[in-house]
Amino acid sequence: MTSRLILISAATSEALREARFDDGSPVDASGLRAARTAAGAGAVPAAGRVWVSPTARCRQTAEELGLQGGSVMEELGSLDVGRWRGATLAEVSAKEPEAVARWLSDPESAPHDGESVRAYCDRVAERLDAAAGFEGRTVAVVEPEVVRAVVVRALGAPEQAFWRVDVQPLSVTELSGRGGRWNLRAGRPLA
């Protein structure tokens, strides 16, 4: 049995443009146009199952891509950054430079009183393991950090690699495999 998991990163938002930790902001006008263009061009793959991250940005992206009715998967939500939520990385770095440095270098660190990168990768890996049990194609519209966590776990890379994976808005990362062993194709544009 071959499983295929296609991750589509959400369209752009103001928070993403400003390097702001997720604050629930919606997709911006250019992101909406880009998603509609991709849908109109027939770029969205057919799926047996559709999963959607619970963020507003992902739900809007899925809708614009014509992927209505997908299952909202809480474990595919954003990395919980605790008290840093809504702040920009620059703001947090200015106030708490040591905490940011520790967080970016130690995957077990959670100085923001939220979730560590390791705990986040574990959470996302549960859904990745579930995907391995489905034959056929699952399409998931997710936040960039979900893609990072999936790539790290699929490749068996250390969690320190999490921050070294760049994920562009509306890009596609595909995994295919059997028995939990995944092959990866990363980063192609959706349109």
Side-chain angles (χ1 to χ4, degrees):
M1 171 177 78
T2 299
S3 299
R4 296 191 187 290
L5 177 60
I6 299 173
L7 303 172
I8 300 172
S9 61
T12 193
S13 67
E14 184 177 327
L16 184 65
R17 288 185 197 285
E18 295 174 354
R20 188 170 1 118
F21 292 107
D22 179 43
D23 63 353
S25 66
V27 173
D28 64 22
S30 68
L32 290 172
R33 279 191 305 276
R36 284 184 200 126
T37 298
V44 180
R49 280 157 306 286
V50 175
W51 295 342
V52 181
S53 180
T55 63
R57 195 165 82 110
C58 290
R59 290 191 322 264
Q60 283 182 302
T61 300
E63 184 176 319
E64 293 301 323
L65 293 175
L67 297 170
Q68 293 90 345
S71 299
V72 175
M73 298 292 172
E74 294 299 323
E75 60 268 45
L76 297 180
S78 296
L79 174 66
D80 178 3
V81 292
R83 69 176 182 278
W84 294 353
R85 189 171 197 261
T88 66
L89 182 57
E91 291 167 344
V92 174
S93 294
K95 290 179 186 174
E96 302 179 55
E98 296 86 13
V100 171
R102 187 171 63 251
W103 183 59
L104 293 174
S105 63
D106 178 3
E108 292 187 23
S109 176
H112 42 57
D113 299 324
E115 186 174 31
S116 72
V117 168
R118 176 156 296 145
Y120 184 70
C121 288
D122 288 344
R123 173 165 54 102
V124 171
E126 289 179 25
R127 185 52 39 193
L128 181 61
D129 292 343
F134 293 114
E135 186 165 357
R137 186 180 291 157
T138 302
V139 172
V141 179
V142 297
E143 291 292 338
E145 61 262 34
V146 171
V147 176
R148 287 185 187 109
V150 166
V151 168
V152 164
R153 287 301 169 90
L155 295 178
E159 282 92 4
Q160 287 90 343
F162 181 87
W163 298 114
R164 299 179 109 20
V165 179
D166 288 333
V167 181
Q168 296 299 311
L170 292 177
S171 63
V172 176
T173 301
E174 298 179 55
L175 294 102
S176 62
R178 295 179 190 178
R181 181 179 176 269
W182 295 102
N183 295 318
L184 176 71
R185 179 193 271 170
R188 75 171 170 82
L190 180 60

